[in-house]
Amino acid sequence: MNTFGQIFRLTTFGESHGEAIGGVVDGMPAGIDIDLEFIQQELNRRRPGQSKITTSRQEADQVELLSGVFEGKSTGCPIGFIVRNTNQHSQDYENMRCLFRPSHADYTYYNKYGIRDHRGGGRSSARITISRCVGGALAKLALRQMGVSVQAYTSQVGPIALDRDYKRYDLSLTETNAVRCPDQEKAQEMEELITQVKAEGDTIGGVITCIIKGCPIGVGEPEFGKLHAALGSAMLSINAVKGFEYGEGFDGVTARGSEQNDVFLSENGQITTKTNHSGGIQGGISNGQDIYCRIAFKPVATILTEQDTVDIEGNATTLTAKGRHDPCVLPRAVPIVEAMGAMTILDNILLKKTTFISK
C-alpha cells in the first residue's frame, strides 16, 4: 500500500537514508497552472533545520518535476518527481542496527519483512512525508482553481492549548512563528516548552487543527466511503498520529441533541445551518459548511536518554539514541496535515464528478 487515493493517486518511494524520496501523481486534472515556487515553498515548510525547535538535519529538499507538466500546466499525464537526500548521517544509527527502539516501527517491520533498514527508520521515517507534501501541493493548486482552501495550525503542545473554536483566531498569523500557532502568546509558551523538553533529551506531542473551506456540497459517499472516514484514514496514516476527530468530536458526547443539532435556515435564498457542530459533514457527505478536524500526535519516539530494550535475539540491553531528531513533530507536521487534507478532498471531488457523469 504505497499508493494513496482513487482518482487523484499518489504513489511514493524512498527511505530516510536512501538516495532520494520521490513519487508519481496520477489523475491530476489537465490544464492546472503548476506553480513550482509554491510547491517548493510547501516543502520548505516541512524541511528539517528550519528553527531551533526542529531537528538540525540540513536538507535543501529541492524538488525536481520529471514529467506531466508542459509550458507551466499539467497535461493530465502522470507527474513524476524526486527529492534527493544529501545530508544523511547513517553512522549515527549504527548502535541501533541490532536493537529495537521503543515505540518505533523497528520490531514490527522486522517481524513483517525479516529485514529492516535501521538508518533513521528507513521506510518508516517521517522523511518520506516529503512525497505527501509534493502531492498535497499539486492538489492545493487544483483546489485553488475550484475555490477550496486547506489550512492547518498547531493548536496544542503538551498541556498548552488554544480554544477549540478556530474562528477566534487570525489564521494568517500561523506562519509568523516557529511553532505555527496563530496565537502569538501561546506560541511563545509552546516554543519555551519544546525548548525545555529538548534540553532534557525528551520529546512532547500535541494537536494540529485543520480547516477546509469551500468544499462543495455532496462530496463523500453515504456508506463505506464517508468523507470523514476518508479524512480520518488519511490523517491516521501520518507518522506519529494517534487520534482523529472532526466537528465537535469527543467533546460533543456530553451535550444533548437539542444543543448539538445544526438547525437549518435560509440566507439570501441559500439553505445553510445556524451552527456547525457537525464539522461540515453529515451522513458522510459534505454540507457546504467549513470542514474542521483535529489530529493528535504522540511525542516523537526517539529520545536522547537511556532506555531499556532488547536486541533481535530478545536479549535485554539498553539504548541511548544518537543523531538529529525533532523534540516535537508538530511544527513540521502542519504542512503534512494540509497535504493529506488537500489530496483527500480533491480525490473525493473528482469521484463526485465521475459519479455525476455516470448518471
Side-chain angles (χ1 to χ4, degrees), residues 172-314:
S172 68
L173 299 176
T174 299
E175 295 294 319
T176 62
N177 55 74
V179 187
R180 293 199 163 92
C181 170
D183 184 311
Q184 299 299 317
E185 291 185 7
K186 291 287 188 180
Q188 181 62 35
E189 293 179 30
M190 292 175 180
E191 184 170 345
E192 290 172 358
L193 176 58
I194 296 171
T195 301
Q196 175 191 336
V197 167
K198 180 181 180 180
E200 296 170 353
D202 215 334
T203 61
I204 196 162
V207 176
I208 289 176
T209 297
C210 184
I211 300 96
I212 300 163
K213 293 179 176 288
C215 182
I217 301 172
V219 176
E221 299 300 321
E223 185 58 17
F224 297 112
K226 296 182 191 302
L227 184 58
H228 57 268
L231 283 167
S233 178
M235 299 306 178
L236 287 164
S237 75
I238 301 172
N239 308 56
V241 169
K242 287 295 185 180
F244 170 85
E245 64 177 6
Y246 76 103
E248 292 297 310
F250 287 98
D251 271 14
V253 302
T254 59
R256 300 190 178 191
S258 57
E259 300 170 306
Q260 284 284 294
N261 286 349
D262 295 316
V263 176
F264 287 106
L265 52 86
S266 179
E267 288 184 352
N268 301 318
Q270 298 292 321
I271 295 176
T272 184
T273 56
K274 186 176 181 179
T275 55
N276 187 22
H277 299 299
S278 300
I281 302 171
Q282 293 171 328
I285 301 171
S286 61
N287 65 2
Q289 300 296 316
D290 292 350
I291 297 171
Y292 61 94
C293 55
R294 290 160 47 88
I295 302 95
F297 286 77
K298 71 172 184 177
V300 177
T302 300
I303 61 176
L304 303 182
T305 55
E306 186 177 88
Q307 298 181 86
D308 293 328
T309 188
V310 298
D311 62 20
I312 58 176
E313 303 296 332

